Amino acid sequence: MKISLKEAFLQENVGGVDLYVRALIGSIATIALAMDLVETYPWNWITALIALVGLFTAMTRHCTPYSFIRYSTVRK
């Protein structure tokens, strides 16, 4: 069971409600960081990582772990 490079890193596999949830969580995490609601050391970096991953996967509509388990929320 081989996965091509295009399928693993470029094919859109995030859509529907999943897309909106990722964008919402990323936005909430960004707002929490901007308003300085997360102050302690490990939690501010974890929140920043959640914001980055959530917004990046929502903008690119691609989730690499979804590619490896061959899962997609995009309607075809």
Side-chain angles (χ1 to χ4, degrees):
M1 187 161 89
K2 291 189 176 192
I3 298 175
S4 68
L5 185 64
K6 181 180 178 183
E7 184 180 339
F9 293 108
L10 300 174
Q11 187 176 22
E12 291 183 359
N13 58 6
V14 176
V17 176
D18 189 22
L19 178 68
Y20 295 117
V21 169
R22 289 171 186 266
L24 181 67
I25 289 173
S27 299
I28 290 171
T30 302
I31 291 169
L33 288 170
M35 294 179 67
D36 208 19
L37 298 175
V38 183
E39 296 178 4
T40 58
Y41 165 66
W43 292 109
N44 56 359
W45 286 102
I46 292 169
T47 306
L49 184 65
I50 290 169
L52 177 71
V53 169
L55 292 175
F56 183 75
T57 57
M59 286 189 288
T60 60
R61 294 180 152 233
H62 177 77
C63 179
T64 303
Y66 277 10
S67 295
F68 291 123
I69 61 173
R70 296 190 185 269
Y71 182 72
S72 177
T73 57
V74 177
R75 285 192 177 182
K76 295 183 180 182

